[in-house]
Amino acid sequence: MIDIKKIIDNIADDKKDHVLLGMFFGYPLQIIGLTLDLITDIPIFFLIGTLLALLIVGGKEVIWDWMLKKGNPEWWDFIASAMPIISNLITYLMIKL
């Protein structure tokens, strides 16, 4: 039997933090976008919110970590931050298409 706790414990704390970062920025922006989509009947705001969230988590890696030297810029950090945002995008597209 798969032990979920063991799998989660084996994930680096840094990557868990990045997933939470993606949730912190992605979910509100996507919910605002979805709400605007429903109010205006223009299906673009969710995608704008998604893109903005991806730019924020990507910008964190580029500006904060790389340019300002306040952290370690890593592709895997960006991927971990983008995972919750992309998973919502996939769900949205599956419903819309």
Side-chain angles (χ1 to χ4, degrees):
M1 185 170 190
I2 298 174
D3 186 7
I4 298 297
K5 183 179 178 353
K6 188 181 281 189
I7 292 171
I8 292 171
D9 287 344
N10 285 334
I11 298 172
D13 286 341
D14 175 55
K15 301 307 178 251
K16 293 177 197 173
D17 292 343
H18 279 279
V19 170
L20 290 174
L21 176 74
M23 292 167 67
F24 181 77
F25 284 107
Y27 290 175
L29 289 171
Q30 289 176 320
I31 289 170
I32 291 168
L34 184 60
T35 304
L36 291 173
D37 281 356
L38 295 172
I39 291 171
T40 63
D41 202 28
I42 303 171
I44 192 72
F45 295 106
F46 179 86
L47 299 175
I48 291 171
T50 299
L51 181 61
L52 186 58
L54 289 171
L55 288 173
I56 289 170
V57 297
K60 185 266 178 201
E61 288 300 312
V62 172
I63 295 169
W64 185 261
D65 289 350
W66 182 55
M67 294 173 81
L68 297 177
K69 308 276 191 237
K70 303 248 182 191
N72 239 0
E74 296 179 23
W75 278 105
W76 285 111
D77 287 351
F78 171 73
I79 291 168
S81 298
M83 280 176 23
I85 300 166
I86 299 297
S87 68
N88 281 349
L89 175 63
I90 290 169
T91 302
Y92 174 83
L93 293 174
M94 286 173 48
I95 293 169
K96 286 292 187 181
L97 299 178

